[in-house]
Amino acid sequence: MRKDLSGRPSSPEIFGLHFSSLSESEIATLVGTTCRSQQEGVGLIITPNIQHISMMAHNRLLAQACRDAAILTCDGFPLFYYARMRGQPVSGRVTGRGIVADLMARPDLLRHHRIFMVVDSDRTVTAARKWARAHGLEGNMAYAVPPYGFENQAAYGTELATSIRAHGTTLLFMAVGAPRSEIFVDQHRDALPPCWALCIGQALLVALDLLPEPPRLVQKLNLEWLWRIILEPRRLLTRYISSACGFMIAVFKDMRQGD
């Protein structure tokens, strides 16, 4: 039986995937205290929610990235409950926001890393530089703001991967959203240096105080999705409805295949 990075055996697949039993803190500690060897290569970390599962049905590159990931966690609560129901050894919801918050709250863990952040805007770069200066990490950092649609620009993808390698990156934050982050890392893993690659979407914006963190009660009730819709209704309402429908279809198919 396949084992995850905690050394514990994993159960049969769901959606063709195995999910890690590591907690947010355990993943942050693993990433913060270890560097990947040349032989190990890229350690891709993906924190899927229902949107990822829904997109996998028609996006083969995302599905392959998830299969190739070193660590997969259950970010969305419907995915966590389904994984637990199917006997996956998940310890709880493990969110990208939680992993990033844990890492950035312990900058001492990051001092031996060469960090590269691929982010959404110059505003995020400014905030990240301010954070790095405050913790004595400015010399360890490099940044890139890719153009819209960069995932379809082969020349830019090659250039970005070359920049990440030239920096000597050991920890890569991909904060440009799904599925662009996941696909870029998986498609360019041979050109990238051995590193941990965290695909964490807007989690970095929350850690840098560029987006508000959901209130504790909202988190406790698993209502982050509603919180985000309230903050960005035009952008997210239709997406969430579509993702919910796609996820339910994926669950139905997965249960049929598991029978």
Side-chain angles (χ1 to χ4, degrees):
M1 181 177 288
R2 175 176 170 169
K3 295 184 178 181
D4 65 23
L5 291 183
S6 69
R8 288 169 280 194
S10 61
S11 63
E13 295 177 342
I14 59 172
F15 309 117
L17 305 172
H18 288 273
F19 288 87
S20 174
S21 58
L22 296 172
S23 68
E24 291 173 349
S25 179
E26 287 172 331
I27 293 172
T29 299
L30 176 66
V31 169
T33 58
T34 64
C35 290
R36 304 278 292 183
S37 68
Q38 192 69 44
Q39 191 171 30
E40 290 172 318
V42 175
L44 177 56
I45 301 175
I46 304 177
T47 60
N49 53 33
I50 64 171
Q51 182 185 6
H52 290 78
I53 303 302
S54 176
M55 286 192 294
M56 279 174 51
H58 53 80
N59 190 322
R60 63 178 182 80
L61 295 179
L62 174 61
Q64 187 61 53
C66 289
R67 287 193 291 269
D68 292 341
I71 299 176
L72 273 180
T73 73
C74 294
D75 186 319
F77 77 91
L79 177 57
F80 162 63
Y81 288 135
Y82 179 65
R84 188 168 65 176
M85 183 188 78
R86 292 295 303 273
Q88 287 275 315
V90 289
S91 58
R93 283 188 62 208
V94 176
T95 67
R97 177 171 50 78
I99 296 169
V100 172
D102 195 303
L103 268 175
M104 295 182 70
R106 295 188 284 169
D108 55 298
L109 289 183
L110 302 178
R111 298 195 189 284
H112 67 284
H113 274 297
R114 298 283 293 171
I115 303 168
F116 199 107
M117 293 184 173
V118 181
V119 299
D120 63 328
S121 68
D122 291 333
R123 173 173 171 258
T124 305
V125 171
T126 299
R129 282 184 172 144
K130 180 179 178 181
W131 176 86
R133 281 195 302 270
H135 295 94
L137 293 170
E138 191 171 18
N140 300 49
M141 308 284 288
Y143 312 88
V145 182
Y148 180 79
F150 82 95
E151 67 275 17
N152 299 316
Q153 301 175 26
Y156 181 82
T158 299
E159 179 185 336
L160 178 57
T162 300
S163 297
I164 294 169
R165 175 174 283 279
H167 180 62
T169 303
T170 59
L171 176 55
L172 173 61
F173 287 86
M174 292 295 301
V176 289
R180 293 175 294 172
S181 294
E182 295 85 351
I183 291 173
F184 169 79
V185 173
D186 198 48
Q187 292 287 288
H188 293 85
R189 60 171 59 245
D190 290 341
L192 292 170
C195 64
W196 290 108
L198 278 163
C199 297
I200 38 77
Q202 292 190 323
L204 185 61
L205 303 186
V206 175
L208 294 171
D209 294 324
L210 296 175
L211 282 178
E213 183 176 8
R216 289 189 179 276
L217 181 60
V218 169
Q219 296 179 44
K220 185 176 182 180
L221 296 176
N222 292 319
L223 292 175
E224 288 100 327
W225 59 274
L226 181 58
W227 169 259
R228 292 190 64 194
I229 288 175
I230 291 171
L231 292 179
E232 300 181 87
R234 287 189 176 183
R235 188 173 76 89
L236 294 180
L237 181 58
T238 302
R239 180 189 300 182
Y240 275 38
I241 292 172
S242 175
S243 295
C245 293
F247 177 72
M248 287 188 289
I249 292 170
V251 166
F252 176 73
K253 291 181 178 179
D254 189 64
M255 292 186 72
R256 288 189 65 184
Q257 292 173 355
D259 291 340

